[in-house]
Protein backbone atom coordinates (compact mmCIF):
# COMPACT_ATOMS: atom_id res chain seq x y z
CA UNK A 1 0.00 0.00 0.00
CA UNK A 2 1.46 3.35 -1.05
CA UNK A 3 0.55 6.33 1.07
CA UNK A 4 1.35 10.01 0.69
CA UNK A 5 0.78 12.61 3.41
CA UNK A 6 0.73 16.21 2.22
CA UNK A 7 0.96 18.62 5.12
CA UNK A 8 1.89 22.11 6.27
CA UNK A 9 2.74 23.11 9.80
CA UNK A 10 3.75 26.77 10.06
CA UNK A 11 2.84 27.91 13.59
CA UNK A 12 4.51 25.62 16.16
CA UNK A 13 5.12 22.40 14.22
CA UNK A 14 1.99 20.92 15.84
CA UNK A 15 0.60 19.30 12.71
CA UNK A 16 4.04 18.03 11.73
CA UNK A 17 4.03 15.86 14.88
CA UNK A 18 0.69 14.36 13.87
CA UNK A 19 1.80 13.87 10.25
CA UNK A 20 4.95 12.06 11.41
CA UNK A 21 3.07 9.83 13.86
CA UNK A 22 0.59 8.80 11.16
CA UNK A 23 3.36 8.52 8.59
CA UNK A 24 5.24 5.97 10.70
CA UNK A 25 2.19 3.74 11.02
CA UNK A 26 1.31 4.01 7.33
CA UNK A 27 4.88 3.89 6.10
CA UNK A 28 3.99 7.02 4.17
CA UNK A 29 5.95 9.55 2.20
CA UNK A 30 5.57 13.06 3.62
CA UNK A 31 5.54 16.12 1.36
CA UNK A 32 4.77 19.83 1.45
CA UNK A 33 2.05 20.96 -1.02
CA UNK A 34 4.48 22.75 -3.34
CA UNK A 35 6.60 19.59 -3.72
CA UNK A 36 3.68 17.54 -4.98
CA UNK A 37 3.61 16.60 -8.63
CA UNK A 38 -0.08 16.09 -9.50
CA UNK A 39 0.83 13.58 -12.19
CA UNK A 40 2.43 11.31 -9.61
CA UNK A 41 -0.58 11.14 -7.30
CA UNK A 42 -2.08 8.34 -9.35
CA UNK A 43 0.45 5.86 -7.91
CA UNK A 44 -0.77 6.27 -4.31
CA UNK A 45 -3.52 4.13 -2.77
CA UNK A 46 -4.24 6.70 -0.09
CA UNK A 47 -3.43 10.41 0.29
CA UNK A 48 -3.64 12.38 3.54
CA UNK A 49 -4.08 16.15 3.57
CA UNK A 50 -3.45 18.15 6.74
CA UNK A 51 -2.32 21.42 8.28
CA UNK A 52 -2.98 23.69 11.20
CA UNK A 53 -6.24 25.62 11.00
CA UNK A 54 -5.68 29.26 10.09
CA UNK A 55 -8.75 31.47 10.05
CA UNK A 56 -11.13 28.51 10.21
CA UNK A 57 -9.72 26.56 7.32
CA UNK A 58 -6.66 24.59 6.27
CA UNK A 59 -3.61 26.44 4.97
CA UNK A 60 -4.39 28.14 1.65
CA UNK A 61 -1.50 26.33 -0.09
CA UNK A 62 -3.12 22.98 0.69
CA UNK A 63 -6.50 24.17 -0.57
CA UNK A 64 -4.85 25.61 -3.69
CA UNK A 65 -3.07 22.33 -4.38
CA UNK A 66 -6.35 20.41 -4.32
CA UNK A 67 -8.09 23.11 -6.36
CA UNK A 68 -5.44 22.78 -9.07
CA UNK A 69 -5.56 18.98 -9.27
CA UNK A 70 -7.21 17.16 -12.14
CA UNK A 71 -10.19 14.94 -11.24
CA UNK A 72 -9.14 12.05 -8.99
CA UNK A 73 -12.21 9.85 -9.29
CA UNK A 74 -12.52 7.47 -6.34
CA UNK A 75 -9.01 8.15 -5.00
CA UNK A 76 -8.99 7.52 -1.25
CA UNK A 77 -8.09 10.48 0.93
CA UNK A 78 -8.11 11.49 4.57
CA UNK A 79 -8.11 14.89 6.25
CA UNK A 80 -6.36 15.93 9.44
CA UNK A 81 -5.66 19.09 11.39
CA UNK A 82 -4.57 20.63 14.65
CA UNK A 83 -6.32 23.74 15.90
CA UNK A 84 -6.71 26.11 18.79
CA UNK A 85 -10.38 25.22 18.83
CA UNK A 86 -10.86 21.66 17.76
CA UNK A 87 -14.09 21.79 15.75
CA UNK A 88 -13.35 19.50 12.79
CA UNK A 89 -16.80 19.50 11.20
CA UNK A 90 -16.40 23.26 10.81
CA UNK A 91 -12.62 23.62 10.37
CA UNK A 92 -12.45 20.91 7.70
CA UNK A 93 -15.35 22.05 5.58
CA UNK A 94 -13.39 23.97 2.90
CA UNK A 95 -10.89 21.15 2.30
CA UNK A 96 -13.63 18.51 2.52
CA UNK A 97 -15.65 20.34 -0.13
CA UNK A 98 -12.63 20.81 -2.38
CA UNK A 99 -11.63 17.13 -2.16
CA UNK A 100 -15.17 15.95 -2.87
CA UNK A 101 -15.39 18.26 -5.88
CA UNK A 102 -12.29 16.57 -7.28
CA UNK A 103 -13.85 13.13 -6.87
CA UNK A 104 -11.83 11.97 -3.86
CA UNK A 105 -13.41 9.45 -1.54
CA UNK A 106 -12.82 10.70 2.02
CA UNK A 107 -12.17 7.66 4.20
CA UNK A 108 -11.47 9.39 7.51
CA UNK A 109 -10.87 12.65 9.34
CA UNK A 110 -8.69 13.30 12.37
CA UNK A 111 -8.11 16.38 14.46
CA UNK A 112 -6.69 17.35 17.80
CA UNK A 113 -5.85 20.46 19.76
CA UNK A 114 -2.62 22.31 19.00
CA UNK A 115 -0.68 24.92 20.94
CA UNK A 116 -2.00 28.27 19.78
CA UNK A 117 -0.31 31.61 20.44
CA UNK A 118 -1.99 33.49 17.62
CA UNK A 119 -2.59 37.21 18.25
CA UNK A 120 -3.48 38.23 21.79
CA UNK A 121 -3.27 34.62 22.97
CA UNK A 122 0.52 35.08 22.99
CA UNK A 123 0.10 37.47 25.94
CA UNK A 124 -1.25 34.65 28.11
CA UNK A 125 1.22 32.02 26.87
CA UNK A 126 -1.28 30.68 24.36
CA UNK A 127 -3.84 27.90 24.73
CA UNK A 128 -3.39 24.11 24.53
CA UNK A 129 0.24 24.34 25.60
CA UNK A 130 1.90 20.94 25.19
CA UNK A 131 -0.58 19.76 22.52
CA UNK A 132 -0.44 17.63 20.57
CA UNK A 133 0.72 15.55 23.53
CA UNK A 134 1.50 11.85 23.68
CA UNK A 135 -2.17 11.00 24.13
CA UNK A 136 -3.11 12.99 21.01
CA UNK A 137 -0.34 11.29 19.04
CA UNK A 138 -1.46 7.87 20.23
CA UNK A 139 -4.95 8.70 18.98
CA UNK A 140 -3.40 9.74 15.64
CA UNK A 141 -1.57 6.39 15.44
CA UNK A 142 -4.77 4.50 16.21
CA UNK A 143 -6.59 6.46 13.49
CA UNK A 144 -3.84 5.55 11.01
CA UNK A 145 -3.99 1.86 12.00
CA UNK A 146 -7.72 1.90 11.40
CA UNK A 147 -7.19 3.40 7.92
CA UNK A 148 -4.70 0.64 7.17
CA UNK A 149 -7.09 -2.05 8.36
CA UNK A 150 -9.91 -0.68 6.25
CA UNK A 151 -7.77 -0.57 3.13
CA UNK A 152 -6.78 -4.20 3.64
CA UNK A 153 -9.76 -5.73 5.43
CA UNK A 154 -8.56 -9.30 4.91
CA UNK A 155 -5.17 -8.86 6.50
CA UNK A 156 -4.71 -9.89 10.13
CA UNK A 157 -4.93 -7.03 12.63
CA UNK A 158 -1.61 -5.42 13.48
C1 LIG B 1 -2.56 33.02 11.74
C2 LIG B 1 -3.23 31.97 12.58
C3 LIG B 1 -4.61 31.79 12.50
C4 LIG B 1 -5.23 30.80 13.27
N1 LIG B 1 -6.60 30.63 13.15
C5 LIG B 1 -7.21 29.68 13.88
C6 LIG B 1 -8.62 29.47 13.74
O1 LIG B 1 -9.29 30.12 12.96
N2 LIG B 1 -9.19 28.49 14.51
C7 LIG B 1 -8.47 27.73 15.39
O2 LIG B 1 -9.04 26.87 16.04
N3 LIG B 1 -7.13 27.89 15.52
C8 LIG B 1 -6.49 28.84 14.79
N4 LIG B 1 -5.13 29.00 14.89
C9 LIG B 1 -4.37 28.09 15.77
C10 LIG B 1 -3.74 26.95 14.99
O3 LIG B 1 -4.72 26.26 14.24
C11 LIG B 1 -3.07 25.94 15.93
O4 LIG B 1 -2.11 26.58 16.72
C12 LIG B 1 -2.45 24.81 15.13
O5 LIG B 1 -2.13 23.76 16.00
C13 LIG B 1 -1.21 25.26 14.39
O6 LIG B 1 -0.64 24.18 13.73
P1 LIG B 1 0.86 24.20 13.21
O7 LIG B 1 1.77 24.38 14.41
O8 LIG B 1 1.00 22.86 12.59
O9 LIG B 1 0.95 25.30 12.22
C14 LIG B 1 -4.47 29.98 14.15
C15 LIG B 1 -3.09 30.18 14.23
C16 LIG B 1 -2.46 31.14 13.46
C17 LIG B 1 -0.96 31.32 13.54
Amino acid sequence: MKVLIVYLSIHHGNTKKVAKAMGEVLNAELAKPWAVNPEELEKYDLIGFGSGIYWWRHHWALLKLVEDLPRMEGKKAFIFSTAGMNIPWYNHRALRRELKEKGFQIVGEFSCRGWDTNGWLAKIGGINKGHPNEKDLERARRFAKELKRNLHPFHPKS
Side-chain angles (χ1 to χ4, degrees), residues 8-16 51-57 82-86 91 112-118:
L8 262 183
S9 184
I10 58 163
H11 190 32
H12 287 298
N14 298 332
T15 318
K16 184 176 185 176
S51 75
I53 295 298
Y54 318 102
W55 311 124
W56 307 113
R57 40 178 47 211
T82 66
M85 285 174 64
N86 185 21
N91 292 341
C112 70
R113 290 192 286 158
W115 183 31
D116 179 4
T117 56
N118 185 35

Side-chain angles (χ1 to χ4, degrees), residues 21-40:
M22 290 179 174
E24 279 162 22
V25 172
L26 293 166
N27 209 1
E29 287 171 41
L30 267 58
K32 302 285 168 58
W34 44 81
V36 171
N37 177 355
E39 282 164 22
E40 288 189 4

Side-chain angles (χ1 to χ4, degrees), residues 4 24 32 38-39 45 58-59 73 78 88 94-95 98 103 109 118 134 140 144-147 152 157-158:
L4 175 68
E24 279 162 22
K32 302 285 168 58
E39 282 164 22
D45 304 301
H58 283 83
H59 194 280
E73 214 55 64
F78 66 93
L95 182 57
E98 209 61 69
E109 298 191 25
N118 185 35
E134 191 40 47
K145 279 182 192 160
E146 199 56 35
L147 289 176
H152 293 294
K157 292 193 171 189
S158 55

Side-chain angles (χ1 to χ4, degrees), residues 59-71:
H59 194 280
W60 66 267
L62 201 60
L63 292 163
K64 180 85 173 70
L65 168 74
V66 179
E67 194 186 316
D68 291 345
L69 290 178
R71 275 200 70 80

